[in-house]
């Protein structure tokens, strides 16, 4: 046996036996993908690699999340694309499951979420929960009077209308509380406005116990603009949230 054939021969049985050993096991897929990328085939995102899914998408057809949600999950305030960075990982996974099941209707996110496995959802959510890019710039300057009105409503509510402050659930300054009450600080005007309208129009009805729907129904258009202006005016990365540790 020459040196050349022996080195070729060593690689082939190694690959074959690895696949034979894990026949029928789900881990085979990850193993096979790892082998494929080692041998110079196009590299697909490994199940555990949230960063790769975010940047490149998946072999099952999910597009790169970064193309809509920004390179580090900062979002795109000039469109309906939310910030994902620094948001609790469990909350993000729940939303992906709701998109996949249709409980949260979205023509864009539905098919994308359906293309993700549970472990891919976990990996990509964990990745985004740990990112902390600065807030992406709003396309237009935010009205100062609306910010002031929004801050009052957000922090104190309006008890004459039975409206609790957003802070009661989302935390002071919208930093987010646990895995149920997402961070709002630094989310965009357009996204916050769109979600509040989605609850009002019953397009989004996936919140536990209708907690958020009950609030949204009480908001006037002026209130919506005010609270959206307030949260969009806050820096995102500087605030702390339970999401930044990966959403334990
Ligand atoms: C084609 C653009 C596009 C791509 C690509 C995309 N998204 Fe989205 N995503 C959206 C839009 C639009 C929304 C807001 C949907 C709505 O209005 O409810 C959204 C919302 C979300 C939300 C809900 C956030 C929240 O705060 O509730 C999550 C989580 C999410 N996307 C994750 C992902 C992941 C993970 C990927 C990559 C596998 C991805 N998205 C790829 C457009 C996209
Ligand atoms: C009684 C508790 C409660 C109060 C008060 C409350 N929310 Fe919420 N909010 C929730 C819950 C729960 C969710 C998550 C829903 C889900 O799981 O899909 C949510 C989600 C949201 C979201 C979606 C965030 C995202 O990333 O998609 C926005 C925007 C929002 N709330 C804005 C507000 C505003 C503005 C106020 C004050 C006017 C407010 N909320 C008051 C419970 C509350």
């Amino acid at each position: 046996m020459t040196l050349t054939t022996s080195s070729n021969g060593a690689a082939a049985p190694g690959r074959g036996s690895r696949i034979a050993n894990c026949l029928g096991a789900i881990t085979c897929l990850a193993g096979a993908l790892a082998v494929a990328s080692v041998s110079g085939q196009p590299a697909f995102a490994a199940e555990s690699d949230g960063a790769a899914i975010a940047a490149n998408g998946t072999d099952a057809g999910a597009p790169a999340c970064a193309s809509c949600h920004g390179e580090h999950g900062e979002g795109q305030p000039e469109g309906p694309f939310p910030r994902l960075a620094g948001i609790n990982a469990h909350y993000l996974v729940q939303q992906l499951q709701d998109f996949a099941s249709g409980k949260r209707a979205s023509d864009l996110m539905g098919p994308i979420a359906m293309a993700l496995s549970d472990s891919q959802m976990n990996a990509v959510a964990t990745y985004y929960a740990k990112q902390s890019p600065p807030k992406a710039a709003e396309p237009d300057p935010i009205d100062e009077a609306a910010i002031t009105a929004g801050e009052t409503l957000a922090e104190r509510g309006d008890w004459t209308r039975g409206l609790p402050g957003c802070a009661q659930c989302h935390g002071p300054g919208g930093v987010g509380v646990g895995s149920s009450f997402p961070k709002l600080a630094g989310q965009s005007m357009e996204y916050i406005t769109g979600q509040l309208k989605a609850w009002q129009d019953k397009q989004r009805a996936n919140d536990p116990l209708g907690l958020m729907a009950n609030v949204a129904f009480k908001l006037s258009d002026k209130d919506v603009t005010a609270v959206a202006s307030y949260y969009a005016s806050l820096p995102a990365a500087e605030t702390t949230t339970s999401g930044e540790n990966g959403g334990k």
Side-chain angles (χ1 to χ4, degrees), residues 152-164:
T152 306
L153 198 56
E155 298 300 316
R156 291 194 230 135
D158 180 353
W159 290 106
T160 64
R161 292 186 281 155
L163 193 57

Side-chain angles (χ1 to χ4, degrees), residues 26-104:
I26 292 188
T27 49
C28 259
L29 179 60
L33 290 176
V35 169
S37 62
V38 165
S39 57
Q41 301 298 316
F44 294 120
E47 293 263 307
S48 60
D49 194 348
I53 296 171
N56 306 319
T58 70
D59 54 315
C65 321
S67 62
C68 291
H69 292 284
E71 196 184 344
H72 299 287
E74 64 276 18
Q76 291 192 59
E78 60 282 10
F81 311 109
R83 179 182 178 92
L84 303 179
I87 297 184
N88 182 278
H90 288 283
Y91 169 79
L92 294 177
V93 169
Q94 184 63 53
Q95 299 307 309
L96 289 169
Q97 287 170 348
D98 289 352
F99 284 129
S101 73
K103 269 174 80 183
R104 179 172 172 185

Side-chain angles (χ1 to χ4, degrees), residues 82-84 87 91-92 94-95 98-99 104 150 153-155 157 163-170 179-184 187-188 191-196 199 204-216 219 223-224 227-228 231:
R83 179 182 178 92
L84 303 179
I87 297 184
Y91 169 79
L92 294 177
Q94 184 63 53
Q95 299 307 309
D98 289 352
F99 284 129
R104 179 172 172 185
L153 198 56
E155 298 300 316
L163 193 57
C166 320
Q168 302 249 328
C169 291
H170 293 278
S179 57
S180 296
F181 306 106
K183 179 174 184 165
L184 301 177
Q187 200 54 279
S188 71
Y191 179 70
I192 296 175
T193 306
Q195 295 306 301
L196 293 173
W199 267 297
R204 183 169 174 181
N206 64 330
D207 49 325
L209 307 172
L211 286 175
M212 189 54 220
N214 285 332
V215 173
L219 299 175
D223 295 335
V224 168
V227 286
Y231 285 121

